[in-house]
Amino acid sequence: MRPAKGLIFDDAPMIRTLLGDILSNMGHSHQAASSGPQGLEAFDEAAAASRPFDLVLTDLGMPE
């Protein structure tokens, strides 16, 4: 399995850390965002730079 690049966005720091640790322990890299707008910005920037994320984990019930 090749390493994946993940994006985690969640407003709960503990959830971001847990998911990031899981991805790291499995040999994957990740970027974390603490809000919906911040996560969408990271997603758009990666796509515009032709380096899209392989995986996105998000909390669908966040404010904003």
Side-chain angles (χ1 to χ4, degrees):
M1 175 171 68
R2 73 175 178 86
K5 177 182 167 187
L7 172 62
I8 301 165
F9 53 111
D10 197 301
D11 55 341
M14 187 174 8
I15 300 296
R16 287 193 312 270
T17 300
L18 174 66
L19 293 173
D21 288 349
I22 291 169
L23 288 176
S24 293
N25 288 337
M26 294 177 71
H28 305 297
S29 64
H30 69 280
Q31 182 175 342
S34 60
S35 70
Q38 187 182 40
L40 291 172
E41 181 179 342
F43 183 89
D44 289 342
E45 286 176 0
S50 296
R51 295 174 298 153
F53 290 98
D54 301 304
L55 173 69
V56 176
L57 301 171
T58 182
D59 175 356
L60 295 176
M62 287 188 297
E64 300 180 68

